[in-house]
Amino acid sequence: MWAVTGWAAATWLRVTLTLAALLGALWLVLGTGSGWFWIAVVGAVLVEYRATRALATEWGAEARYTWWWTR
């Protein structure tokens, strides 16, 4: 179970840091006054939401089959 939890946490962190780095680069290039920057922020929020939900679903499915009380 801890292997799956570690994998889910590492994947979530990797996705979050990648999105933060991309938004940081866009912020430096476009600035906050650009509409494209805010479109990218909304897109990053949506990607983060979907990735978090997918990871939580995957973790939950794995938890149902590996925790000791389900055996």
Side-chain angles (χ1 to χ4, degrees), residues 4 17 27 30 60-62 66-67:
V4 175
L17 291 177
W27 173 67
L30 298 175
E62 187 66 26
T66 58
W67 281 8

Side-chain angles (χ1 to χ4, degrees), residues 7-71:
W7 168 81
T11 302
W12 173 80
L13 186 61
R14 190 174 21 239
V15 168
T16 300
L17 291 177
T18 301
L19 289 172
L22 288 173
L23 286 177
L26 282 175
W27 173 67
L28 289 173
V29 171
L30 298 175
T32 57
S34 171
W36 289 110
F37 173 75
W38 293 110
I39 291 172
V41 168
V42 170
V45 167
L46 292 175
V47 168
E48 179 75 18
Y49 174 75
R50 296 286 301 211
T52 302
R53 293 284 308 234
L55 284 169
T57 302
E58 182 73 23
W59 182 87
E62 187 66 26
R64 275 191 289 280
Y65 298 115
T66 58
W67 281 8
W68 61 270
W69 61 73
T70 61
R71 294 183 186 188

